[in-house]
Amino acid sequence: MATENAPASMYRTTEGLGVWEHKGKVAAVGVGHSPTTRRWDGTAENTMGANSIFALRQAIADAGVDPSQIDGLVLDPVTTTGAHWPEGDPIPMDVVNAYNQTDDPLDGIAKLSAEWILKNMPELSNVKFTMYGPGCMSHAIVVAAQAVGEGRTHTCLVLKSWHNLEGRYNQAGISASESVPGSFAMAPGRTLWGAPGSYGTALQFAEYCRKYGKSHDMMAPFMSNSRRNGLLFPEGYWAQHRPEHLTEEDYLNARWIAKPANLFDNDIPIMVSGAYLFTTAERAKDMKQKPVYIINHASSRGTQRSILPTLDEVEAETASTGRKIYEGAGITAADLSFENMYDGFALFHQFHLEGLRYRGMQNGDALDFYQKDISIEGPDPVLPSGGNIGSGRSRFWMHTDCIQQIQGRAGARTITGVKPEIGVSGGPMPMGGNFTVWSATPD
Amino acid sequence: MVKQGVIPDDLSKPFWDAANAGRLEIQNCSACNRLHNPPVAACTRCKSGDNLEWKLMSGKGTIYNYGVVYDCPVRLLQQDQPFNLAVITLDEDSGIQMYSHLPGTPVDDVPVGAAVEVIFEETANGQKVPEWRVIG
């Protein structure tokens, strides 16, 4: 069974599509996570593949379904946090041979195929539908929701895994070479100009601050709140390994990476896997967990004119994304109980918020909003998951939180200032990502 | 600052050849009169690659935005940290951007909106690359 990328037709990328035809007919019924680690320790039992199996089995158990009932699997085959297997380095065959292998020895270590999962989870004996949603969990969720809605699969696992290896982020490979190809040198990204990953976002933030008269220190309450929420997320990296609060002073005194982006504005790369189980609303009724209904998904495919997106381009795209999210769900901004939009890099979360018009926000309002009560106890919670800033780079904490908040299973992180009935999550980038609207009821 | 060397490829070769000759040339679709940077295989407006050419620019521009790089992934530049990394827009079309380290401009003392002019610097393998200097 050859697994292919989801066709473009499965993503809802434009405005004017109306209410999603499968609104409320797909539900999340299971959640699973592996433990987190900063990097792979080189052992067979802690590979990215092992984490994947762990998370999938947790999601299955959480849903209380028999694995033989599962007929679909959607995942992102790209698992790198920015670390790639060093060219020429031997692949440890004891690790490779600890699992049933595909024809690629790095499968399960530094990349992941659906075939590898199925070879190593024999209990998934009835999976007939596999598909890739390449990019991150936000992509895979959208693909899986659409696939269940279309009847391609009825009970579908959704998986995102990350590997992280020794070495500093993005400093190997072409960054260490003496020369670069001409087109690469002219392209956005690292290039020969030495831009760190957060540079583009930092510049959009700088432009935002100049336009609206804001400053980087206004981010501090948001950053402290995100870490606080992250420390209440037992599945997350900071809660598991470094239960340290981030004070506003800590944040303001952090070293710069690409000023105005500092160390904490960049999410920490980790190893972790997350999995969900989706099924039809009809089947979900009788399952162990309270179903969380998907009432829309929407995608952003923004393009910039030249090297870096300008503030105008970003704001136009996020506003369009907000309209798509509400249109397909048949709701308005006033219906949102909470938001869990992406935050890794922290300096673009405000673009997502303003695009959503969250709590009536307009462009330029978000940093002032951060100075008010944005806690989980207040009526205007911002990023109750804590996001990547609060729990490390998984790009799925915000989805898990939406599901758990609506199910009433968010524990100490439970939103209390507003009843969590409808939440939105997604990302990653303001100029490109995939977004999901979750609801306690199908309509 | 010595940047990584550049090895021109098919798509970018005219740009790099022009830089070696001290000229700034940007790809243009003659049918749409639309500039492109980075260069593209097909015009983003008419979707055709048939009318793409390379057009001489005046070498004048404006500092649109900037950041200061303190933690650079590129090994060759790490000894120069921290350094400015600015985005320049061209006078011919303010939608077209180019990077610059702004040689001669103090770190984090960048006059956003100031006029700049192109100069050409040698990279590690001798290939010249456009850079920008504040005028006046």
Side-chain angles (χ1 to χ4, degrees):
Chain A
M1 177 167 48
T3 302
E4 297 183 346
N5 289 346
S9 60
M10 293 185 79
Y11 299 94
R12 293 168 56 83
T13 58
T14 59
E15 295 181 54
L17 295 177
V19 173
W20 183 37
E21 63 270 35
H22 307 299
K23 175 184 176 181
K25 296 175 184 168
V26 182
V29 291
V31 175
H33 297 97
S34 75
T36 63
T37 54
R38 180 77 169 91
R39 293 185 171 89
W40 183 38
D41 61 7
T43 65
E45 59 267 30
N46 291 323
T47 59
M48 174 271 297
N51 280 349
S52 303
I53 294 169
F54 187 97
L56 288 166
R57 286 181 173 153
Q58 265 216 338
I60 296 166
D62 188 53
V65 303
D66 188 288
S68 65
Q69 293 179 268
I70 295 165
D71 63 358
L73 171 64
V74 175
L75 59 91
D76 176 4
V78 179
T79 60
T80 181
T81 55
H84 300 274
W85 193 264
E87 200 171 334
D89 271 21
I91 301 167
M93 291 312 293
D94 59 324
V95 174
V96 173
N97 292 331
Y99 295 92
N100 296 315
Q101 269 305 307
T102 63
D103 54 8
D104 186 337
L106 284 175
D107 206 350
I109 297 175
K111 59 182 72 169
L112 188 62
S113 68
E115 184 187 6
W116 190 95
I117 292 293
L118 297 180
K119 277 177 176 277
N120 288 283
M121 293 184 68
E123 68 267 41
L124 296 177
S125 54
N126 283 324
V127 170
K128 297 175 179 65
F129 171 84
T130 58
M131 190 168 271
Y132 294 135
C136 61
M137 181 66 101
S138 297
H139 293 68
I141 285 173
V142 161
V143 171
Q146 188 67 24
V148 173
E150 292 175 359
R152 298 178 189 226
T153 165
H154 300 289
T155 304
C156 183
L157 286 162
V158 195
L159 172 70
K160 171 64 196 178
S161 291
W162 297 91
H163 74 264
N164 194 25
L165 309 175
E166 290 301 320
R168 292 207 62 202
Y169 179 59
N170 270 341
Q171 293 205 7
I174 202 160
S175 292
S177 67
E178 291 297 314
S179 59
V180 297
S183 293
F184 181 87
M186 298 177 73
R190 283 172 283 155
T191 74
L192 76 167
W193 303 90
S198 56
Y199 170 80
T201 297
L203 258 65
Q204 288 150 21
F205 183 81
E207 189 176 1
Y208 177 94
C209 287
R210 279 196 297 275
K211 179 172 181 178
Y212 298 114
K214 309 303 175 190
S215 59
H216 182 261
D217 58 4
M218 295 178 75
M219 288 290 295
F222 168 77
M223 300 300 290
S224 293
N225 185 64
S226 292
R227 177 68 69 78
R228 177 192 181 229
N229 293 346
L231 293 178
L232 300 174
F233 212 135
E235 296 91 341
Y237 175 79
W238 291 95
Q240 290 179 357
H241 300 282
R242 296 176 61 182
E244 309 153 9
H245 285 282
L246 179 69
T247 66
E248 296 190 14
E249 190 178 18
D250 292 335
Y251 175 67
L252 297 175
N253 291 326
R255 68 182 176 89
W256 297 113
I257 301 295
K259 189 181 178 184
N262 74 17
L263 179 68
F264 293 114
D265 294 319
N266 293 260
D267 49 345
I268 189 168
I270 58 172
M271 277 189 69
V272 66
S273 295
Y276 307 119
L277 190 69
F278 288 0
T279 190
T280 61
E282 192 61 31
R283 292 183 186 207
K285 282 180 189 169
D286 303 320
M287 288 192 176
K288 182 176 157 189
Q289 306 298 347
K290 175 184 173 183
V292 176
Y293 299 94
I294 296 175
I295 60 171
N296 187 27
H297 64 81
S299 297
S300 155
R301 299 289 183 269
T303 55
Q304 69 261 24
R305 170 80 196 282
S306 191
I307 295 173
L308 291 176
T310 64
L311 180 61
D312 284 348
E313 288 171 329
V314 170
E315 290 180 336
E317 185 62 24
T318 51
S320 174
T321 298
R323 290 191 294 269
K324 282 182 265 187
I325 285 169
Y326 296 132
E327 180 190 4
I331 63 172
T332 69
D335 295 312
L336 277 186
S337 315
F338 62 101
E339 65 83 27
N340 262 314
M341 301 292 266
Y342 190 58
D343 67 328
F345 307 112
L347 298 183
F348 63 54
H349 190 71
Q350 77 281 355
F351 298 136
H352 286 308
L353 278 181
E354 292 171 4
L356 282 175
R357 303 293 183 247
Y358 184 63
R359 298 298 192 262
M361 222 178 272
Q362 300 297 311
N363 291 345
D365 288 348
L367 269 59
D368 291 320
F369 196 83
Y370 290 169
Q371 313 310 306
K372 302 174 186 172
D373 182 4
I374 57 173
S375 73
I376 54 177
E377 292 86 3
D380 305 316
V382 168
L383 202 59
S385 64
N388 276 24
I389 296 303
S391 289
R393 182 187 301 159
S394 73
R395 295 182 178 167
F396 52 64
W397 307 120
M398 62 278 196
H399 304 302
T400 298
D401 188 65
C402 282
I403 296 168
Q404 292 179 337
Q405 294 284 2
I406 291 170
Q407 287 178 324
R409 295 201 298 160
R413 214 176 54 256
T414 297
I415 296 168
T416 56
V418 60
K419 188 176 180 186
E421 293 181 309
I422 298 180
V424 61
S425 58
M429 303 303 283
M431 291 291 284
N434 301 276
F435 306 88
T436 304
V437 187
W438 312 85
S439 174
T441 61
D443 48 9
Chain B
M1 295 175 70
V2 179
K3 299 174 177 63
Q4 288 169 294
V6 177
I7 302 169
D9 47 23
D10 287 348
L11 184 63
S12 65
K13 190 170 187 304
F15 175 87
W16 298 110
D17 287 348
N20 283 341
R23 299 189 309 271
L24 178 64
E25 294 188 0
I26 297 291
Q27 192 190 47
N28 183 56
C29 175
S30 59
C32 301
N33 194 27
R34 184 174 173 84
L35 295 170
H36 296 281
N37 187 52
V40 292
C43 173
T44 55
R45 181 170 287 163
C46 69
K47 312 299 181 194
S48 169
D50 294 343
N51 302 300
L52 295 172
E53 59 180 13
W54 289 84
K55 189 172 181 179
L56 181 66
M57 299 286 110
S58 65
K60 305 292 186 189
T62 302
I63 300 174
Y64 180 71
N65 204 348
Y66 82 102
V68 182
V69 175
Y70 284 77
D71 197 338
C72 175
V74 177
R75 192 167 296 170
L76 209 57
L77 298 175
Q78 288 172 349
Q79 62 191 357
D80 298 307
Q81 294 173 168
F83 57 81
N84 294 321
L85 180 50
V87 172
I88 307 301
T89 56
L90 301 187
D91 279 3
E92 284 84 354
D93 182 340
S94 62
I96 296 298
Q97 304 167 333
M98 300 190 75
Y99 280 131
S100 174
H101 288 136
L102 291 176
T105 299
V107 173
D108 207 7
D109 190 16
V110 173
V112 173
V116 290
E117 64 183 3
V118 73
I119 57 175
F120 294 90
E121 286 188 349
E122 276 195 8
T123 62
N125 68 351
Q127 168 65 52
K128 288 188 175 176
V129 59
E131 259 294 6
W132 298 83
R133 188 167 53 197
V134 176
I135 300 172

